[in-house]
Amino acid sequence: MSNPASPPAVGVVDDRPPLTFPPGFLWGAATAAYQIEGAAAEGGRTPSIWDTFSHTPGRVVEGHTGDVACDHYHRMGSDVALMAELGLKSYRFSVSWPRVQPGGTGPANAGGLDFYRRLVDELLAHGIEPWLTLYHWDLPQPLEDAGGWPARDTAARFADYATLVADALGDRVRYWTTLNEPWCSAFLGYGSGAHAPGRSDGADAVRAGHHLMLGHGLAVQALRAARPTAEVGVTVNLYPVTPASVAPADVDAARRIDGLANRFFLDPLLRGSYPADLMADLAKVTDFGHVRDGDLATISTPLDVVGVNYYSRHVVAAPVPGAEPEPYWRAPSCWPGSEDVRFVTRGVPVTDMNWEIDAPGLVETLRRVHEEYTDLPLYVTENGSAFVDEVVDGQVDDVDRLAYFDAHLRAAHEAIEAGVPLRGYFAWSLMDNFEWAWGYTKRFGMVHVDYDSQVRIPKSSARWYAEVIRRNGLAAQ
Ligand code: FCB
């Protein structure tokens, strides 16, 4: 497949034969609590690491915070009505840990749980399957003060929190994701410091990654104990990693980055071990003394589903002396032990995040997980793109975003044809929101949000997606 071919303009009759997805394919859209809810200090919610981080000058572009965000906390009813209007079959949201368990320890906050009870009931009333993520990066600040994810105890706290949410919502939520993208929590949060809590120490990042996975394993067990019928999974963000050339040094750079980006998580979660080459690469960073007997068995507790978030590909090369340091996930400090690897820009079309658009990478990623790791049902739990949008006469004609979705859905279909048991797809995101360190400057939504008025406008991509859902597929190329 090539990069996005333009789909037919919205409203134009398209008579090409339809590309149909399997019956019951779960079409959804995703969000995360801190990115949309706002109401940061309401209903008993206490600060998370993202409140602290975003309120620290210099951390988030233009000093933006999630204090108000999309005000979803107060607009949940009309937001769910909008989801129903688009025909979503499922909605993936996350629970704010400090809203339901302020401080991260002790009893539940009934008011906080109530918000999610109402959300879930509203979804079910509209025939929308709730898909609940327990941890989308908002660690309660007191747990960070006690050491954060590099501290082993945080894993146990996470399992307690999982029980508390399962007890409250387990009767009406079928799909549960423990963690969203542990790579970002560990390596952006504790390695490069680009994300909350903004710490920068390679050994801490590696420890955080392990304790996140340990927390995941303990939470899976807690969820199963509380709700034996729950469908439980984890969401990892995966990238194909390609060497810039066939030169052995470039090939080795790709092996190392693949180790840190993908296999650091896939192997423990799905095989119960850390890859030997990765451990050797990391030997100068850590002796893995934080890994205790039994941890890997806990981490690899069997799952029901695996969630994959896919955005782009990494192309890497061996170090070049004097190469400029790069920002964000290209920052050397995201890659402990492999700081010398260089990320290469190929000059292919990029999104507003500067992420290269690479739909074939989704086919490769899904096939790899299925062919090398697991027969479990897979879900694309996030996929999408940021572009600069313009509101013209009350409309947003986001052709680039629409083309991105179109190309990636074709890729998803290709993966299914290749034998991948892909059971659903969640667009990132339902609506524009607080894009972490980029604040509100990057728009990923299918629905436009005016942050002053909080008016929502479904973009062309949303209308198009509604049609995709309606016919369970899209036009063939
Ligand atoms: C993913 C995050 C999600 C959003 C998208 C663009 O890494 O899970 O919250 O920021 O990227």
Side-chain angles (χ1 to χ4, degrees):
M1 280 189 54
S2 58
N3 276 314
S6 289
V10 174
V12 171
V13 177
D14 178 15
D15 55 7
R16 295 173 299 176
L19 202 56
T20 304
F21 281 70
F25 194 76
L26 199 59
W27 297 102
T31 64
Y34 191 70
Q35 296 181 276
I36 66 163
E37 284 180 3
E42 282 179 55
R45 183 184 181 280
T46 58
S48 77
I49 53 176
W50 270 97
D51 296 270
T52 308
F53 188 78
S54 64
H55 280 271
T56 305
R59 293 303 207 171
V60 174
V61 172
E62 295 178 22
H64 292 165
T65 74
D67 288 1
V68 177
C70 307
D71 197 32
H72 170 72
Y73 184 79
H74 298 116
R75 293 164 196 267
M76 182 271 285
S78 49
D79 284 340
V80 173
L82 184 54
M83 295 175 212
E85 202 185 304
L86 296 176
L88 296 189
K89 304 277 186 226
S90 182
Y91 171 56
R92 174 175 177 248
F93 63 96
S94 79
V95 171
S96 162
W97 187 346
R99 197 181 285 294
V100 304
Q101 191 187 34
T105 47
N109 169 28
L113 283 174
D114 234 39
F115 170 72
Y116 297 103
R117 275 198 200 98
R118 285 189 287 114
L119 167 63
V120 167
D121 288 348
E122 197 71 14
L123 290 168
L124 293 171
H126 284 86
I128 301 171
E129 181 84 54
W131 187 302
L132 187 156
T133 299
L134 283 167
Y135 187 72
H136 203 127
W137 307 355
D138 40 7
L139 184 71
Q141 184 62 41
L143 295 187
E144 170 58 23
D145 298 340
W149 286 110
R152 189 177 175 88
D153 188 55
T154 304
R157 300 284 69 76
F158 181 63
D160 290 350
Y161 156 66
T163 300
L164 174 157
V165 181
D167 285 345
L169 299 170
D171 58 341
R172 53 200 109 173
V173 174
R174 174 167 168 209
Y175 292 101
W176 295 75
T177 293
T178 54
L179 307 173
N180 177 72
E181 301 191 350
W183 183 86
C184 292
S185 300
F187 291 96
L188 294 178
Y190 294 93
S192 76
H195 278 188
R199 285 160 61 180
S200 193
D201 180 297
D204 278 346
V206 173
R207 266 194 291 274
H210 182 75
H211 294 140
L212 279 151
M213 288 191 283
L214 182 63
H216 152 82
L218 295 170
V220 173
Q221 294 172 1
L223 290 170
R224 293 220 188 288
R227 282 282 144 188
T229 55
E231 302 258 349
V232 183
V234 64
T235 278
V236 281
N237 53 318
L238 303 177
Y239 295 78
V241 184
T242 309
S245 81
V246 295
D250 288 356
V251 172
D252 195 57
R255 178 194 61 74
R256 290 155 69 194
I257 296 304
D258 177 54
L260 287 165
N262 300 316
R263 293 182 292 118
F264 186 104
F265 298 96
L266 288 172
D267 282 54
L269 290 166
L270 297 170
R271 290 184 179 157
S273 58
Y274 279 107
D277 67 310
L278 172 75
M279 292 183 76
D281 292 344
L282 282 169
K284 52 182 178 285
V285 178
T286 173
D287 60 5
F288 280 86
H290 54 278
V291 179
R292 299 204 189 149
D293 282 353
D295 282 4
L296 284 150
T298 303
I299 289 171
S300 57
T301 301
L303 300 175
D304 302 300
V305 301
V306 175
V308 173
N309 289 359
Y310 176 78
Y311 288 95
S312 190
R313 177 189 302 270
H314 293 324
V315 182
V316 299
V320 174
E324 287 287 307
E326 299 200 62
Y328 212 38
W329 53 258
R330 291 171 165 237
S333 48
C334 295
W335 308 101
S338 292
E339 293 90 345
D340 55 340
V341 171
R342 189 167 54 101
F343 284 78
V344 174
T345 302
R346 292 174 293 170
V348 306
V350 295
T351 68
D352 190 37
M353 296 296 281
N354 230 355
W355 297 348
E356 292 187 349
I357 300 170
D358 195 316
L362 176 59
V363 186
E364 274 172 57
T365 300
L366 293 172
R367 288 191 65 163
R368 180 190 194 184
V369 175
H370 175 60
E371 289 165 16
E372 294 180 23
Y373 287 95
T374 183
D375 286 332
L376 287 174
L378 305 185
Y379 289 82
V380 172
T381 38
E382 283 181 29
N383 173 241
S385 55
F387 286 103
V388 176
D389 293 320
E390 247 191 301
V391 184
V392 180
D393 296 335
Q395 304 286 319
V396 181
D397 193 18
D398 58 336
V399 286
D400 292 334
R401 186 175 295 99
L402 193 159
Y404 182 101
F405 282 132
D406 181 83
H408 287 77
L409 285 177
R410 290 178 194 286
H413 194 273
E414 194 178 319
I416 293 170
E417 284 186 329
V420 174
L422 182 69
R423 298 285 152 75
Y425 173 95
F426 291 78
W428 183 271
S429 175
L430 173 68
M431 57 185 151
D432 295 335
N433 57 49
F434 176 81
E435 179 45 37
W436 308 113
W438 300 92
Y440 300 100
T441 64
K442 304 291 180 193
R443 292 181 178 271
F444 274 90
M446 292 191 302
V447 173
H448 182 271
V449 176
D450 177 324
Y451 294 111
D452 295 326
S453 65
Q454 292 295 347
V455 166
R456 276 80 158 130
I457 303 174
K459 304 176 192 178
S460 295
S461 59
R463 301 283 175 216
W464 171 86
Y465 192 54
E467 187 54 21
V468 169
I469 297 173
R470 197 190 59 75
R471 62 176 173 187
N472 195 35
L474 65 176
Q477 302 218 70

